[in-house]
Amino acid sequence: MILAFSAAASASKVVTDSIYSKTLNFTHKYNVYLPDGFDRSDKKYPVVYLLHGMYGGYSDWQEMGKMKLVADELISSGEACEMVIVMPNAGDWDIYKVQNGYYNIPGWNYEDFFFNEFLPEVEKKYRVLSDKGHRAIMGLSMGGGGSVVYCQKHPDMFSSCYAMSAWLDTKYTDEEKARQGDMLHMLNRSVRQNSALDFVDNADENTVKALKSVKWFIDCGDEDSLLDQNVLFYQKMREKKIKAELRVRNSGHNWEYWHTALRLALPFASRSFIQ
C-alpha cells in the first residue's frame, strides 16, 4: 500500500487551468502536463506549446491524442527529457458561429493574447525555463500552421517547431463571397493573410538568418489533402537554405497519424533544447 501510494503521489498529471484575457474579454481554459516529480522539485523545466486543430479545443490532445501516455513513455525511456507541455485553447467545434484560429482578426486578437498574456502567465505560474533555448512549439492542422507562423514571426522565442499536417495557406481570398461574414470565412482569411508560404518567399537575408536559428520538422500523411502545401513549404525552405526535416508517412488527416507524430515530435523538441 505504501509503495502504491508513493507511485501515485509521484506520477505525472494533466491539470486544467484558466486565464481571463483582457484582450479577448473571455476566460480561456487550458491543459498543462506536469512531469513526474514536478510537485516535489524546485527546478525549472523546458516547455512545449502543443496546439490543437480546427473543430477542436484545449482538451483534444489529452482526450484523443493520449498525450500523457505518450509523454510518460518517452520520458521514462529517456527518448524525451522531462518537460512541461501546455495545451491552449483557440477554438470551438462550431466553426461557423464561434471564432477559431491563432492569428489576429477583428474581434479576435488571439496572437496578441497568446504572446502578451497567455505565455507570460503560464511560464510564471508553472516554473518553466523562459528562454528560446528551452521553449518549443508544435501542433496539428490549424495548430500546425499556427506553430509555423509563430516561429516565423518570433524566431527569437522558440528553439524548434514540429508541424503536423499543417494548414499553411488557403485558396480563399478576401474576394471570396461564399459564407462571407461567418466565422469560418474569417478564419480562412486569417490563414491566407498569414501565409507561411508567402512568408518564406518574402524573407530577406536577416529574416532567413533568424529562421535558421529554429529547428524545423514538417510531418504530413501521404493521403492528407494538405500534403502538397506541406511539401511546397519544405521546398521553399530548401531554396532559402533553411534546414528542415520532412516526413511523409502512411495515412491521412486523423488522430491515428497525430498520435504517432507526437512520438516523433517530443524527442525532436528535446534534442533541440539547449542542454
Side-chain angles (χ1 to χ4, degrees):
M1 290 179 63
I2 293 175
L3 290 174
F5 177 81
S6 176
S10 64
S12 69
K13 59 183 178 181
V14 174
V15 299
T16 299
D17 207 336
S18 64
I19 175 176
Y20 175 74
S21 169
K22 294 181 180 178
T23 302
L24 301 175
N25 191 29
F26 193 78
T27 298
H28 281 257
K29 289 185 177 180
Y30 61 97
N31 274 350
V32 183
Y33 169 87
L34 302 175
D36 181 7
F38 182 89
D39 293 336
R40 308 187 313 277
S41 171
D42 294 327
K43 73 176 184 178
K44 293 186 176 182
Y45 294 81
V47 60
V48 170
Y49 290 88
L50 182 58
L51 309 187
H52 66 78
M54 191 169 68
Y55 297 101
Y58 71 95
S59 63
D60 282 9
W61 272 108
Q62 172 59 12
E63 294 177 358
M64 293 182 281
K66 309 302 179 187
M67 63 74 49
K68 182 179 182 298
L69 173 65
V70 174
D72 286 348
E73 290 179 356
L74 292 172
I75 292 172
S76 177
S77 68
E79 296 172 77
C81 66
E82 293 182 331
M83 63 179 72
V84 170
I85 304 174
V86 181
M87 292 153 276
N89 194 74
D92 185 89
W93 66 270
D94 191 347
I95 60 174
Y96 297 104
K97 296 181 180 180
V98 180
Q99 188 58 60
N100 286 257
Y102 295 96
Y103 314 128
N104 287 345
I105 62 173
W108 181 258
N109 290 325
Y110 189 90
E111 191 171 344
D112 289 346
F113 156 71
F114 185 90
F115 286 98
N116 298 332
E117 294 181 300
F118 182 71
L119 188 148
E121 177 167 318
V122 168
E123 296 193 353
K124 180 179 180 180
K125 186 172 186 177
Y126 286 100
R127 207 171 70 245
V128 302
L129 294 161
S130 301
D131 62 86
K132 170 185 172 72
H134 297 94
R135 185 190 293 119
I137 191 165
M138 58 185 66
L140 68 91
S141 193
M142 182 180 78
S147 299
V148 170
V149 172
Y150 279 8
C151 278
Q152 289 178 328
K153 294 183 179 181
H154 306 273
D156 59 319
M157 295 188 67
F158 301 100
S159 59
S160 69
C161 173
Y162 195 108
M164 312 172 197
S165 313
W167 189 18
L168 302 167
D169 204 334
T170 176
K171 66 180 180 180
Y172 292 92
T173 67
D174 291 352
E175 290 74 36
E176 174 65 43
K177 301 301 182 184
R179 297 185 182 276
Q180 187 162 359
D182 74 13
M183 297 304 184
L184 179 58
H185 174 78
M186 295 174 70
L187 171 60
N188 276 294
R189 288 182 60 183
S190 73
V191 173
R192 180 70 191 97
Q193 292 167 353
N194 290 274
S195 169
L197 302 177
D198 289 352
F199 190 96
V200 179
D201 284 339
N202 297 328
D204 60 20
E205 184 177 345
N206 289 333
T207 301
V208 168
K209 182 178 179 180
L211 294 178
K212 287 181 177 179
S213 72
V214 179
K215 305 295 185 183
W216 299 90
F217 202 121
I218 301 97
D219 187 350
C220 193
D222 59 0
E223 299 177 10
D224 197 312
S225 62
L226 298 177
L227 175 62
D228 289 345
Q229 61 180 262
N230 279 256
V231 173
L232 182 58
F233 174 72
Y234 173 74
Q235 292 172 334
K236 290 179 179 294
M237 295 280 276
R238 281 177 59 88
E239 290 170 1
K240 295 282 188 172
K241 301 187 185 307
I242 303 168
K243 185 178 179 181
E245 294 189 49
L246 172 68
R247 295 293 184 278
V248 178
R249 299 180 290 112
N250 294 341
S251 195
H253 207 77
N254 55 53
W255 276 104
E256 179 184 3
Y257 193 91
W258 302 321
H259 175 77
T260 57
L262 190 60
R263 294 183 179 276
L264 300 174
L266 295 182
F268 176 75
S270 295
R271 294 192 301 271
S272 302
F273 289 140
I274 294 175
Q275 302 302 316

